Amino acid sequence: MIATRPADTADALEGGFTEAPIQSARAFREILEAMARPGTIRRVQGARPPEPLSVAAGVALLVLTDPTTRLHLAGRADCAEVRDWVAFHIGAPLTRAEEADFAVGTWEALHPVSRFRIGQPDYPDRSATLIVEVDRLVNHGPALTGPGIETATWLNLPETAAFRANRALFPLGFDTLFTAGDRIAGLPRSTRVEAI
Amino acid sequence: MTEHIEAGAYTFAYLDEQTKRMIRRAILKGIAVPGYQVPFASREMPMPYGWGTGGVQVTAACLVPEDRLKVIDQGADDTTNAVSIRRFFQRTAGVATTEATTEATVIQTRHRIPETPLKAGQILVYQVPIPEPLRFLEPRETETRKMHELEEYGLMHVKLYEDIARHGQIATSYAYPVKVEGRYVMDPSPIPRFDNPKLSGNPAIQLFGAGREQRIYALPPWTEVVSLDFDDHPFQTSKAPHDCDLCGAQDSYLDEVITDDQGGRMFVCSDTDFCEGRRAKGHAGRLGGDQKSSKTFANSFEGIWPGTEGAR
Protein backbone atom coordinates (compact mmCIF):
# COMPACT_ATOMS: atom_id res chain seq x y z
CA MET A 1 0.00 0.00 0.00
CA ILE A 2 1.32 3.44 -0.89
CA ALA A 3 0.87 5.88 1.93
CA THR A 4 -0.42 9.22 0.81
CA ARG A 5 1.09 11.05 3.75
CA PRO A 6 4.56 9.75 4.65
CA ALA A 7 4.57 11.62 7.96
CA ASP A 8 1.65 9.53 9.20
CA THR A 9 3.09 6.29 7.97
CA ALA A 10 5.76 6.40 10.63
CA ASP A 11 3.06 6.68 13.29
CA ALA A 12 1.13 3.83 11.76
CA LEU A 13 4.09 1.54 12.32
CA GLU A 14 3.99 2.19 16.06
CA GLY A 15 1.60 1.13 18.76
CA GLY A 16 1.26 -2.58 18.12
CA PHE A 17 2.18 -5.35 20.52
CA THR A 18 5.92 -5.51 21.15
CA GLU A 19 5.72 -9.11 22.33
CA ALA A 20 2.61 -10.39 20.57
CA PRO A 21 2.31 -13.97 21.89
CA ILE A 22 2.51 -12.94 25.55
CA GLN A 23 0.64 -9.65 25.32
CA SER A 24 -2.18 -11.08 23.24
CA ALA A 25 -2.49 -14.04 25.62
CA ARG A 26 -2.85 -11.75 28.65
CA ALA A 27 -5.25 -9.48 26.81
CA PHE A 28 -7.38 -12.34 25.55
CA ARG A 29 -7.70 -13.72 29.06
CA GLU A 30 -9.10 -10.37 30.20
CA ILE A 31 -11.47 -10.25 27.22
CA LEU A 32 -12.56 -13.83 27.91
CA GLU A 33 -13.32 -12.99 31.54
CA ALA A 34 -15.15 -9.85 30.42
CA MET A 35 -17.31 -11.74 27.92
CA ALA A 36 -17.88 -14.74 30.22
CA ARG A 37 -18.89 -12.50 33.13
CA PRO A 38 -20.98 -9.75 31.52
CA GLY A 39 -20.75 -6.47 33.36
CA THR A 40 -17.34 -7.06 34.93
CA ILE A 41 -14.86 -4.34 33.97
CA ARG A 42 -11.33 -5.53 33.16
CA ARG A 43 -8.13 -3.71 32.22
CA VAL A 44 -6.00 -4.44 29.17
CA GLN A 45 -2.75 -2.95 27.90
CA GLY A 46 -0.11 -3.16 25.21
CA ALA A 47 -1.61 -1.26 22.27
CA ARG A 48 -1.22 2.41 21.40
CA PRO A 49 -3.64 2.92 18.52
CA PRO A 50 -4.06 6.34 16.87
CA GLU A 51 -6.83 8.74 17.87
CA PRO A 52 -9.75 8.35 18.33
CA LEU A 53 -9.33 4.67 19.27
CA SER A 54 -8.91 3.85 22.95
CA VAL A 55 -6.16 1.57 24.22
CA ALA A 56 -8.74 -1.13 24.96
CA ALA A 57 -10.28 -0.92 21.48
CA GLY A 58 -6.79 -1.19 19.96
CA VAL A 59 -6.02 -4.22 22.12
CA ALA A 60 -9.30 -5.89 21.19
CA LEU A 61 -8.56 -5.36 17.49
CA LEU A 62 -5.01 -6.70 17.80
CA VAL A 63 -6.19 -9.77 19.74
CA LEU A 64 -9.25 -10.69 17.69
CA THR A 65 -8.98 -9.37 14.14
CA ASP A 66 -6.67 -10.35 11.29
CA PRO A 67 -6.74 -10.72 7.49
CA THR A 68 -9.56 -13.29 7.79
CA THR A 69 -12.01 -10.95 9.53
CA ARG A 70 -13.91 -8.11 7.89
CA LEU A 71 -13.70 -4.92 9.91
CA HIS A 72 -16.00 -1.91 9.85
CA LEU A 73 -14.67 1.43 11.08
CA ALA A 74 -17.58 3.61 12.13
CA GLY A 75 -17.77 7.39 12.39
CA ARG A 76 -14.61 9.14 13.57
CA ALA A 77 -12.81 5.80 13.79
CA ASP A 78 -12.89 5.72 10.00
CA CYS A 79 -9.95 8.08 9.48
CA ALA A 80 -6.68 7.79 7.59
CA GLU A 81 -4.61 7.25 10.74
CA VAL A 82 -6.74 4.33 11.95
CA ARG A 83 -6.94 2.83 8.45
CA ASP A 84 -3.14 2.92 8.13
CA TRP A 85 -2.67 1.47 11.60
CA VAL A 86 -5.13 -1.35 10.89
CA ALA A 87 -3.50 -2.00 7.51
CA PHE A 88 -0.04 -2.35 9.03
CA HIS A 89 -0.72 -4.15 12.32
CA ILE A 90 -3.80 -6.20 11.49
CA GLY A 91 -4.41 -6.38 7.75
CA ALA A 92 -8.14 -6.82 8.18
CA PRO A 93 -10.14 -5.94 5.05
CA LEU A 94 -12.32 -2.90 5.73
CA THR A 95 -15.95 -3.30 4.88
CA ARG A 96 -19.38 -1.79 5.31
CA ALA A 97 -21.42 -2.47 8.43
CA GLU A 98 -23.71 -5.10 6.92
CA GLU A 99 -20.80 -7.45 6.11
CA ALA A 100 -18.58 -6.86 9.10
CA ASP A 101 -17.32 -9.53 11.50
CA PHE A 102 -16.06 -6.75 13.77
CA ALA A 103 -17.01 -3.11 13.99
CA VAL A 104 -15.49 -0.35 16.07
CA GLY A 105 -16.80 3.10 16.89
CA THR A 106 -18.98 5.05 19.28
CA TRP A 107 -22.52 3.88 19.93
CA GLU A 108 -23.89 6.79 17.88
CA ALA A 109 -21.57 5.98 14.97
CA LEU A 110 -22.54 2.31 15.00
CA HIS A 111 -26.25 3.10 14.90
CA PRO A 112 -28.53 1.65 13.61
CA VAL A 113 -27.10 -1.56 15.10
CA SER A 114 -29.83 -3.61 13.47
CA ARG A 115 -27.73 -3.56 10.28
CA PHE A 116 -25.02 -5.78 11.76
CA ARG A 117 -24.91 -9.49 11.10
CA ILE A 118 -26.76 -11.59 13.67
CA GLY A 119 -25.69 -15.01 12.38
CA GLN A 120 -27.80 -17.68 10.71
CA PRO A 121 -30.24 -20.00 12.48
CA ASP A 122 -27.95 -22.97 11.77
CA TYR A 123 -24.73 -20.98 12.37
CA PRO A 124 -25.46 -18.35 15.04
CA ASP A 125 -21.70 -17.85 15.48
CA ARG A 126 -21.49 -16.08 12.12
CA SER A 127 -22.43 -12.77 13.69
CA ALA A 128 -20.76 -9.43 14.27
CA THR A 129 -18.86 -8.39 17.36
CA LEU A 130 -19.21 -4.67 18.10
CA ILE A 131 -16.44 -2.80 19.88
CA VAL A 132 -18.27 0.18 21.32
CA GLU A 133 -16.20 3.13 22.49
CA VAL A 134 -17.73 4.79 25.55
CA ASP A 135 -16.54 7.64 27.77
CA ARG A 136 -16.42 5.58 30.93
CA LEU A 137 -17.42 2.21 32.33
CA VAL A 138 -19.06 1.91 35.74
CA ASN A 139 -21.16 -0.79 37.40
CA HIS A 140 -24.19 1.45 37.57
CA GLY A 141 -27.19 1.63 35.26
CA PRO A 142 -29.30 -1.02 33.55
CA ALA A 143 -29.47 -4.40 35.30
CA LEU A 144 -27.90 -7.42 33.60
CA THR A 145 -28.91 -11.03 34.22
CA GLY A 146 -28.22 -14.29 32.40
CA PRO A 147 -25.35 -16.72 31.78
CA GLY A 148 -22.13 -15.60 33.43
CA ILE A 149 -23.93 -13.59 36.11
CA GLU A 150 -24.64 -15.16 39.51
CA THR A 151 -27.64 -13.03 40.41
CA ALA A 152 -27.57 -9.61 38.75
CA THR A 153 -25.08 -6.89 37.93
CA TRP A 154 -25.21 -3.39 36.49
CA LEU A 155 -23.41 -1.58 33.70
CA ASN A 156 -23.77 1.90 32.22
CA LEU A 157 -25.03 0.86 28.79
CA PRO A 158 -25.61 3.59 26.20
CA GLU A 159 -29.22 2.37 25.86
CA THR A 160 -31.35 -0.66 26.70
CA ALA A 161 -33.85 -1.00 23.84
CA ALA A 162 -31.30 -2.16 21.27
CA PHE A 163 -29.88 -4.78 23.64
CA ARG A 164 -33.32 -6.04 24.61
CA ALA A 165 -34.18 -6.40 20.93
CA ASN A 166 -30.86 -8.21 20.41
CA ARG A 167 -31.57 -10.60 23.30
CA ALA A 168 -34.98 -11.36 21.81
CA LEU A 169 -33.21 -12.75 18.73
CA PHE A 170 -31.29 -15.34 20.80
CA PRO A 171 -29.52 -17.58 19.78
CA LEU A 172 -28.97 -15.05 16.99
CA GLY A 173 -27.66 -11.57 17.67
CA PHE A 174 -24.48 -9.53 17.80
CA ASP A 175 -22.06 -9.50 20.72
CA THR A 176 -20.63 -6.37 22.25
CA LEU A 177 -17.41 -5.26 23.89
CA PHE A 178 -17.43 -1.84 25.55
CA THR A 179 -14.12 0.00 25.72
CA ALA A 180 -13.13 3.13 27.63
CA GLY A 181 -9.45 4.01 27.99
CA ASP A 182 -7.80 0.79 29.12
CA ARG A 183 -11.08 -0.65 30.49
CA ILE A 184 -13.12 -3.28 28.74
CA ALA A 185 -16.46 -4.95 29.49
CA GLY A 186 -18.47 -7.54 27.61
CA LEU A 187 -22.14 -7.93 26.78
CA PRO A 188 -22.86 -11.14 24.87
CA ARG A 189 -26.22 -11.61 23.16
CA SER A 190 -27.28 -14.01 25.95
CA THR A 191 -27.51 -11.24 28.57
CA ARG A 192 -30.92 -9.93 29.57
CA VAL A 193 -30.94 -6.17 29.99
CA GLU A 194 -33.43 -4.21 32.05
CA ALA A 195 -33.61 -0.48 32.63
CA ILE A 196 -33.92 0.45 36.30
CA MET B 1 13.64 -37.51 32.43
CA THR B 2 15.04 -34.02 32.30
CA GLU B 3 14.69 -32.06 29.12
CA HIS B 4 16.66 -29.00 28.25
CA ILE B 5 14.82 -26.85 25.80
CA GLU B 6 16.35 -23.69 24.49
CA ALA B 7 14.44 -20.62 25.60
CA GLY B 8 12.44 -19.37 22.67
CA ALA B 9 12.49 -22.69 20.87
CA TYR B 10 8.70 -22.46 20.68
CA THR B 11 6.39 -19.49 20.37
CA PHE B 12 4.42 -19.07 23.60
CA ALA B 13 1.97 -21.98 23.97
CA TYR B 14 3.02 -23.59 20.69
CA LEU B 15 0.33 -22.28 18.31
CA ASP B 16 1.02 -19.41 15.93
CA GLU B 17 -0.77 -16.12 16.57
CA GLN B 18 -3.21 -16.35 13.69
CA THR B 19 -4.35 -19.80 14.82
CA LYS B 20 -4.80 -18.53 18.36
CA ARG B 21 -6.88 -15.59 17.14
CA MET B 22 -9.13 -17.98 15.22
CA ILE B 23 -9.55 -20.21 18.29
CA ARG B 24 -10.10 -17.20 20.55
CA ARG B 25 -12.86 -15.87 18.30
CA ALA B 26 -14.52 -19.30 18.39
CA ILE B 27 -14.29 -19.40 22.19
CA LEU B 28 -15.91 -15.97 22.53
CA LYS B 29 -18.77 -16.96 20.20
CA GLY B 30 -19.15 -20.17 22.21
CA ILE B 31 -19.38 -18.11 25.40
CA ALA B 32 -22.00 -15.86 23.78
CA VAL B 33 -24.19 -18.83 22.76
CA PRO B 34 -23.79 -21.32 25.63
CA GLY B 35 -23.98 -24.94 24.51
CA TYR B 36 -23.79 -24.19 20.77
CA GLN B 37 -20.93 -25.96 18.95
CA VAL B 38 -18.81 -23.41 17.11
CA PRO B 39 -16.89 -24.84 14.13
CA PHE B 40 -13.18 -24.02 14.16
CA ALA B 41 -10.21 -24.85 11.95
CA SER B 42 -8.61 -27.45 14.21
CA ARG B 43 -4.87 -27.79 13.62
CA GLU B 44 -2.63 -30.80 13.50
CA MET B 45 -1.07 -31.08 16.91
CA PRO B 46 2.03 -33.05 17.87
CA MET B 47 -0.16 -35.82 19.27
CA PRO B 48 -2.77 -38.02 17.62
CA TYR B 49 -6.45 -37.16 17.43
CA GLY B 50 -8.22 -38.76 20.35
CA TRP B 51 -5.50 -37.71 22.77
CA GLY B 52 -6.96 -34.35 23.60
CA THR B 53 -5.98 -32.20 20.64
CA GLY B 54 -9.15 -30.10 21.01
CA GLY B 55 -8.53 -29.46 24.67
CA VAL B 56 -4.88 -28.72 24.00
CA GLN B 57 -5.74 -26.09 21.39
CA VAL B 58 -8.28 -24.41 23.68
CA THR B 59 -5.80 -24.46 26.57
CA ALA B 60 -3.06 -23.04 24.32
CA ALA B 61 -5.35 -20.17 23.30
CA CYS B 62 -6.22 -19.35 26.93
CA LEU B 63 -2.91 -19.77 28.75
CA VAL B 64 -0.97 -16.82 30.13
CA PRO B 65 2.56 -17.10 31.53
CA GLU B 66 1.24 -16.58 35.07
CA ASP B 67 -1.04 -19.63 34.88
CA ARG B 68 -0.74 -22.73 37.00
CA LEU B 69 -1.87 -25.67 34.91
CA LYS B 70 -3.38 -28.94 36.11
CA VAL B 71 -4.12 -31.78 33.70
CA ILE B 72 -6.21 -34.79 34.63
CA ASP B 73 -7.14 -37.92 32.77
CA GLN B 74 -10.25 -39.53 34.27
CA GLY B 75 -9.47 -37.78 37.53
CA ALA B 76 -5.82 -38.83 37.71
CA ASP B 77 -2.90 -36.42 37.41
CA ASP B 78 -0.37 -39.10 36.65
CA THR B 79 -1.69 -41.15 33.76
CA THR B 80 -0.02 -41.07 30.35
CA ASN B 81 -2.33 -38.55 28.71
CA ALA B 82 -2.22 -36.12 31.62
CA VAL B 83 1.54 -36.36 32.03
CA SER B 84 2.29 -35.81 28.37
CA ILE B 85 -0.05 -32.83 28.00
CA ARG B 86 1.28 -31.25 31.18
CA ARG B 87 4.82 -31.70 29.91
CA PHE B 88 3.82 -30.29 26.52
CA PHE B 89 2.77 -27.00 28.10
CA GLN B 90 5.70 -26.92 30.50
CA ARG B 91 7.91 -27.13 27.46
CA THR B 92 6.08 -24.82 25.06
CA ALA B 93 4.56 -22.24 27.43
CA GLY B 94 6.85 -22.49 30.43
CA VAL B 95 3.84 -22.37 32.78
CA ALA B 96 3.89 -23.68 36.34
CA THR B 97 1.99 -26.90 36.90
CA THR B 98 0.25 -28.35 39.89
CA GLU B 99 -1.77 -31.37 40.90
CA ALA B 100 -3.83 -29.46 43.46
CA THR B 101 -7.25 -28.45 42.17
CA THR B 102 -7.38 -25.46 44.50
CA GLU B 103 -4.06 -24.04 43.22
CA ALA B 104 -4.74 -24.45 39.50
CA THR B 105 -5.92 -21.57 37.33
CA VAL B 106 -6.42 -23.66 34.22
CA ILE B 107 -7.43 -27.33 34.44
CA GLN B 108 -7.50 -29.47 31.32
CA THR B 109 -9.54 -32.60 31.87
CA ARG B 110 -10.33 -35.81 30.14
CA HIS B 111 -13.69 -37.18 31.29
CA ARG B 112 -13.96 -35.90 34.88
CA ILE B 113 -14.82 -32.79 36.82
CA PRO B 114 -12.66 -32.50 39.96
CA GLU B 115 -14.39 -33.38 43.25
CA THR B 116 -13.13 -30.18 44.88
CA PRO B 117 -15.53 -27.35 43.91
CA LEU B 118 -14.10 -24.92 41.36
CA LYS B 119 -14.04 -21.18 41.91
CA ALA B 120 -14.17 -17.93 39.95
CA GLY B 121 -10.95 -17.28 38.05
CA GLN B 122 -10.47 -20.91 37.12
CA ILE B 123 -10.99 -22.32 33.63
CA LEU B 124 -11.92 -25.97 33.11
CA VAL B 125 -11.03 -27.22 29.61
CA TYR B 126 -12.67 -30.48 28.54
CA GLN B 127 -11.27 -32.84 25.93
CA VAL B 128 -14.22 -33.91 23.80
CA PRO B 129 -14.24 -36.92 21.45
CA ILE B 130 -17.72 -36.54 19.89
CA PRO B 131 -19.20 -33.10 20.54
CA GLU B 132 -22.55 -33.78 18.85
CA PRO B 133 -25.00 -35.30 21.37
CA LEU B 134 -27.29 -36.39 18.53
CA ARG B 135 -24.57 -38.03 16.44
CA PHE B 136 -25.33 -41.62 17.45
CA LEU B 137 -29.00 -41.04 16.73
CA GLU B 138 -28.52 -39.17 13.45
CA PRO B 139 -25.21 -39.56 11.59
CA ARG B 140 -25.73 -36.70 9.12
CA GLU B 141 -24.23 -33.36 10.18
CA THR B 142 -26.70 -31.51 7.93
CA GLU B 143 -29.57 -33.09 9.88
CA THR B 144 -28.20 -32.62 13.39
CA ARG B 145 -27.45 -28.98 12.60
CA LYS B 146 -31.06 -28.55 11.47
CA MET B 147 -32.27 -30.28 14.63
CA HIS B 148 -30.33 -27.82 16.81
CA GLU B 149 -31.61 -24.94 14.69
CA LEU B 150 -35.24 -26.02 15.16
CA GLU B 151 -34.71 -27.11 18.77
CA GLU B 152 -35.97 -30.50 17.64
CA TYR B 153 -34.71 -32.74 20.42
CA GLY B 154 -37.51 -35.30 20.51
CA LEU B 155 -35.17 -38.02 19.25
CA MET B 156 -33.00 -37.67 22.33
CA HIS B 157 -35.99 -38.20 24.58
CA VAL B 158 -36.96 -41.24 22.53
CA LYS B 159 -33.50 -42.64 23.19
CA LEU B 160 -33.82 -42.06 26.93
CA TYR B 161 -37.33 -43.52 26.85
CA GLU B 162 -36.03 -46.66 25.11
CA ASP B 163 -33.46 -46.95 27.89
CA ILE B 164 -36.31 -47.01 30.40
CA ALA B 165 -38.39 -49.43 28.33
CA ARG B 166 -35.45 -51.82 28.06
CA HIS B 167 -33.70 -51.45 31.40
CA GLY B 168 -36.34 -49.95 33.67
CA GLN B 169 -34.16 -46.86 34.12
CA ILE B 170 -32.08 -44.42 32.10
CA ALA B 171 -29.00 -46.54 31.47
CA THR B 172 -26.84 -43.77 30.01
CA SER B 173 -24.06 -43.56 32.56
CA TYR B 174 -21.61 -41.17 30.91
CA ALA B 175 -21.83 -38.40 28.29
CA TYR B 176 -25.32 -37.89 29.69
CA PRO B 177 -27.05 -35.22 27.55
CA VAL B 178 -27.85 -31.85 29.09
CA LYS B 179 -29.85 -28.81 28.06
CA VAL B 180 -28.12 -25.45 28.43
CA GLU B 181 -30.13 -22.38 29.45
CA GLY B 182 -33.26 -24.02 28.08
CA ARG B 183 -31.99 -23.91 24.50
CA TYR B 184 -29.19 -26.18 23.23
CA VAL B 185 -28.83 -29.86 24.02
CA MET B 186 -25.15 -30.44 24.67
CA ASP B 187 -22.79 -33.36 25.14
CA PRO B 188 -20.91 -32.75 28.40
CA SER B 189 -18.06 -34.98 27.06
CA PRO B 190 -17.82 -38.52 28.46
CA ILE B 191 -17.85 -37.46 32.11
CA PRO B 192 -19.77 -39.88 34.36
CA ARG B 193 -23.29 -38.68 34.99
CA PHE B 194 -22.15 -38.44 38.62
CA ASP B 195 -20.44 -35.19 37.51
CA ASN B 196 -23.42 -33.69 35.66
CA PRO B 197 -24.74 -31.62 38.58
CA LYS B 198 -21.35 -29.85 38.79
CA LEU B 199 -21.84 -28.45 35.28
CA SER B 200 -24.66 -26.18 36.39
CA GLY B 201 -24.12 -22.95 38.29
CA ASN B 202 -20.38 -23.47 38.31
CA PRO B 203 -18.38 -20.33 39.16
CA ALA B 204 -15.57 -21.34 36.77
CA ILE B 205 -15.53 -20.91 32.99
CA GLN B 206 -16.02 -24.28 31.25
CA LEU B 207 -14.65 -24.67 27.72
CA PHE B 208 -14.99 -27.75 25.51
CA GLY B 209 -12.63 -28.58 22.64
CA ALA B 210 -13.08 -31.35 20.07
CA GLY B 211 -10.02 -31.45 17.82
CA ARG B 212 -10.87 -34.17 15.34
CA GLU B 213 -14.48 -32.98 15.08
CA GLN B 214 -13.39 -29.32 14.92
CA ARG B 215 -15.84 -27.91 17.42
CA ILE B 216 -15.53 -25.60 20.42
CA TYR B 217 -18.33 -24.89 22.88
CA ALA B 218 -18.58 -23.25 26.24
CA LEU B 219 -20.47 -22.73 29.47
CA PRO B 220 -19.99 -19.30 31.05
CA PRO B 221 -19.99 -19.24 34.87
CA TRP B 222 -23.37 -19.68 36.59
CA THR B 223 -24.97 -21.13 33.47
CA GLU B 224 -28.04 -23.27 34.03
CA VAL B 225 -27.39 -26.82 32.83
CA VAL B 226 -30.17 -29.40 33.19
CA SER B 227 -29.70 -33.14 32.66
CA LEU B 228 -32.47 -34.46 30.42
CA ASP B 229 -35.02 -36.68 32.15
CA PHE B 230 -38.72 -37.41 32.57
CA ASP B 231 -41.12 -36.36 35.33
CA ASP B 232 -41.61 -39.98 36.39
CA HIS B 233 -37.96 -40.91 35.83
CA PRO B 234 -36.00 -37.97 37.19
CA PHE B 235 -32.28 -37.68 36.58
CA GLN B 236 -30.18 -39.50 39.15
CA THR B 237 -26.44 -39.59 39.61
CA SER B 238 -24.79 -42.94 40.02
CA LYS B 239 -21.58 -44.31 41.48
CA ALA B 240 -20.28 -47.61 42.77
CA PRO B 241 -22.07 -48.34 46.09
CA HIS B 242 -18.88 -48.35 48.13
CA ASP B 243 -16.59 -46.04 50.05
CA CYS B 244 -13.10 -45.30 48.79
CA ASP B 245 -10.83 -48.07 50.05
CA LEU B 246 -7.93 -45.68 50.45
CA CYS B 247 -9.41 -42.48 51.90
CA GLY B 248 -12.85 -43.66 53.00
CA ALA B 249 -14.71 -40.94 51.08
CA GLN B 250 -18.39 -41.77 50.73
CA ASP B 251 -19.30 -39.12 48.22
CA SER B 252 -16.61 -39.29 45.53
CA TYR B 253 -16.65 -41.05 42.18
CA LEU B 254 -14.87 -44.42 42.35
CA ASP B 255 -12.79 -46.58 40.03
CA GLU B 256 -13.03 -50.32 40.48
CA VAL B 257 -9.62 -51.96 40.46
CA ILE B 258 -9.15 -55.72 40.12
CA THR B 259 -6.37 -56.71 42.49
CA ASP B 260 -5.85 -60.43 41.83
CA ASP B 261 -7.28 -63.39 39.94
CA GLN B 262 -9.29 -64.58 42.95
CA GLY B 263 -12.08 -62.05 42.55
CA GLY B 264 -10.36 -59.50 44.74
CA ARG B 265 -11.16 -55.88 44.00
CA MET B 266 -10.97 -52.47 45.51
CA PHE B 267 -12.66 -49.15 44.93
CA VAL B 268 -10.60 -45.98 44.89
CA CYS B 269 -11.36 -42.33 44.22
CA SER B 270 -10.97 -41.52 40.54
CA ASP B 271 -9.81 -38.01 41.56
CA THR B 272 -6.26 -38.67 42.79
CA ASP B 273 -5.75 -35.14 44.15
CA PHE B 274 -8.96 -35.37 46.19
CA CYS B 275 -7.96 -38.80 47.55
CA GLU B 276 -4.41 -37.71 48.41
CA GLY B 277 -5.75 -34.60 50.11
CA ARG B 278 -8.09 -36.60 52.30
CA ARG B 279 -5.40 -39.13 53.19
CA ALA B 280 -3.02 -36.31 54.09
CA LYS B 281 -5.68 -35.08 56.52
CA GLY B 282 -5.74 -38.48 58.17
CA HIS B 283 -8.79 -40.06 56.57
CA ALA B 284 -8.39 -43.75 55.81
CA GLY B 285 -10.53 -46.34 54.11
CA ARG B 286 -10.71 -50.13 54.29
CA LEU B 287 -7.24 -50.62 52.79
CA GLY B 288 -5.87 -47.17 53.48
CA GLY B 289 -3.96 -48.02 56.64
CA ASP B 290 -0.66 -48.71 54.89
CA GLN B 291 1.43 -46.04 53.27
CA LYS B 292 0.60 -47.09 49.74
CA SER B 293 -0.85 -44.01 48.09
CA SER B 294 -3.51 -44.08 45.46
CA LYS B 295 -0.95 -42.58 43.12
CA THR B 296 1.62 -45.34 43.34
CA PHE B 297 -1.19 -47.80 43.22
CA ALA B 298 -2.59 -46.29 40.04
CA ASN B 299 0.88 -46.29 38.52
CA SER B 300 1.16 -50.01 38.87
CA PHE B 301 -1.91 -50.33 36.69
CA GLU B 302 -0.84 -47.90 33.99
CA GLY B 303 -1.01 -49.55 30.64
CA ILE B 304 -3.91 -51.84 31.33
CA TRP B 305 -6.43 -49.07 31.92
CA PRO B 306 -8.35 -48.40 28.73
CA GLY B 307 -7.45 -45.15 27.07
CA THR B 308 -9.65 -45.23 24.02
CA GLU B 309 -11.40 -41.90 23.98
CA GLY B 310 -13.69 -42.52 21.06
CA ALA B 311 -15.00 -45.80 22.40
CA ARG B 312 -18.55 -45.79 23.63
Side-chain angles (χ1 to χ4, degrees):
Chain A
M1 182 181 143
I2 299 164
T4 47
R5 286 185 296 172
D8 291 339
T9 314
D11 296 340
L13 305 185
E14 314 259 310
F17 286 147
T18 50
E19 204 185 355
I22 304 285
Q23 287 173 305
S24 64
R26 290 194 181 119
F28 173 70
R29 194 65 167 269
E30 296 299 319
I31 295 171
L32 173 64
E33 287 285 340
M35 202 55 126
R37 302 174 199 278
T40 57
I41 299 165
R42 315 285 299 193
R43 300 180 76 154
V44 289
Q45 55 184 356
R48 284 179 293 106
E51 289 283 319
L53 292 188
S54 65
V55 169
V59 168
L61 289 175
L62 288 175
V63 171
L64 297 174
T65 62
D66 58 32
T68 66
T69 56
R70 291 161 295 183
L71 174 64
H72 175 68
L73 303 175
R76 285 217 306 128
D78 189 17
C79 60
E81 289 79 7
V82 172
R83 282 169 171 261
D84 285 349
W85 191 78
V86 167
F88 180 74
H89 293 281
I90 295 167
L94 300 181
T95 181
R96 58 201 186 92
E98 289 78 5
E99 292 172 348
D101 297 306
F102 288 85
V104 62
T106 61
W107 185 244
E108 292 72 27
L110 291 166
H111 251 289
V113 289
S114 55
R115 34 185 195 148
F116 290 101
R117 298 201 308 155
I118 56 171
Q120 302 152 220
D122 48 348
Y123 288 96
D125 55 302
R126 295 178 182 174
S127 61
T129 302
L130 310 185
I131 301 168
V132 182
E133 297 267 37
V134 293
D135 294 334
R136 60 196 188 106
L137 282 169
V138 288
N139 288 121
H140 185 76
L144 315 181
T145 54
I149 303 165
E150 186 174 9
T151 50
T153 185
W154 297 265
L155 190 67
N156 60 326
L157 304 178
E159 71 162 275
T160 55
F163 295 106
R164 291 172 66 96
N166 191 45
R167 176 64 180 84
L169 298 170
F170 191 86
L172 303 183
F174 56 80
D175 306 304
T176 311
L177 288 167
F178 293 101
T179 51
D182 64 350
R183 310 290 170 107
I184 193 162
L187 191 79
R189 67 191 84 171
S190 58
T191 304
R192 291 172 204 91
V193 174
E194 228 160 310
I196 51 165
Chain B
M1 186 171 68
T2 334
E3 283 161 347
H4 297 285
I5 302 300
E6 251 178 86
Y10 291 94
T11 185
F12 177 72
Y14 187 77
L15 294 172
D16 62 278
E17 285 306 288
Q18 182 144 341
T19 298
K20 279 193 251 177
R21 279 192 294 268
M22 174 269 297
I23 296 171
R24 286 166 178 162
R25 288 193 294 264
I27 292 172
L28 290 185
K29 287 299 174 191
I31 288 282
V33 191
Y36 165 73
Q37 302 161 49
V38 184
F40 82 112
S42 179
R43 300 295 197 241
E44 293 271 353
M45 297 302 285
M47 62 189 74
Y49 286 136
W51 285 78
T53 54
V56 165
Q57 290 177 77
V58 170
T59 300
C62 291
L63 274 186
V64 296
E66 296 76 26
D67 268 324
R68 193 172 286 275
L69 178 70
K70 172 182 165 81
V71 185
I72 52 174
D73 175 358
Q74 297 197 337
D77 288 278
D78 53 1
T79 47
T80 314
N81 200 201
V83 170
S84 54
I85 291 173
R86 193 162 55 232
R87 194 177 289 165
F88 174 77
F89 282 115
Q90 273 174 328
R91 184 193 251 205
T92 61
V95 293
T97 59
T98 180
E99 295 192 4
T101 303
T102 48
E103 288 172 15
T105 52
V106 176
I107 303 173
Q108 181 169 333
T109 175
R110 174 177 175 273
H111 309 182
R112 270 315 304 279
I113 301 175
E115 304 286 355
T116 311
L118 302 179
K119 51 186 193 281
Q122 290 182 312
I123 299 178
L124 185 59
V125 179
Y126 295 76
Q127 302 171 197
V128 183
I130 310 282
E132 178 51 72
L134 305 166
R135 181 62 69 232
F136 290 90
L137 308 171
E138 170 52 67
R140 289 167 295 182
E141 169 67 13
T142 47
E143 292 302 303
T144 52
R145 189 159 286 279
K146 188 62 95 180
M147 289 157 80
H148 284 293
E149 172 187 339
L150 299 174
E151 230 173 312
E152 179 51 69
Y153 296 128
L155 201 56
M156 185 57 93
H157 277 102
V158 170
K159 189 227 174 211
L160 297 177
Y161 168 77
E162 285 182 348
D163 261 10
I164 294 168
R166 219 172 272 161
H167 308 288
Q169 56 172 320
I170 297 178
T172 306
S173 58
Y174 64 94
Y176 192 103
V178 295
K179 197 164 202 182
V180 180
E181 287 285 326
R183 179 57 181 83
Y184 284 99
V185 165
M186 184 189 97
D187 183 334
S189 86
I191 57 171
R193 73 180 185 197
F194 175 87
D195 283 341
N196 269 30
K198 299 178 210 160
L199 292 162
S200 191
N202 199 315
I205 297 174
Q206 300 175 80
L207 305 175
F208 299 76
R212 180 186 53 213
E213 303 289 321
Q214 312 195 312
R215 295 292 184 273
I216 285 171
Y217 50 105
L219 296 173
W222 313 113
T223 299
E224 182 198 55
V225 181
V226 178
S227 302
L228 298 182
D229 62 358
F230 297 98
D231 287 345
D232 51 348
H233 284 273
F235 170 80
Q236 285 173 329
T237 60
S238 69
K239 70 182 274 279
H242 296 271
D243 300 346
C244 174
D245 282 332
L246 293 177
C247 78
Q250 300 173 335
D251 52 358
S252 74
Y253 192 72
L254 302 175
D255 287 334
E256 182 180 5
V257 181
I258 308 294
T259 52
D260 54 35
D261 59 359
Q262 310 296 311
R265 63 193 58 203
M266 66 186 294
F267 291 88
V268 294
C269 290
S270 121
D271 185 334
T272 51
D273 169 56
F274 178 77
C275 199
E276 295 274 310
R278 278 180 53 86
R279 283 158 59 77
K281 283 183 199 150
H283 297 281
R286 185 172 63 94
L287 305 171
D290 60 356
Q291 288 307 303
K292 184 157 60 175
S293 76
S294 64
K295 193 183 292 180
T296 26
F297 193 82
N299 271 339
S300 63
F301 282 86
E302 203 167 302
I304 55 171
W305 285 6
T308 45
E309 248 181 58
R312 296 229 175 180

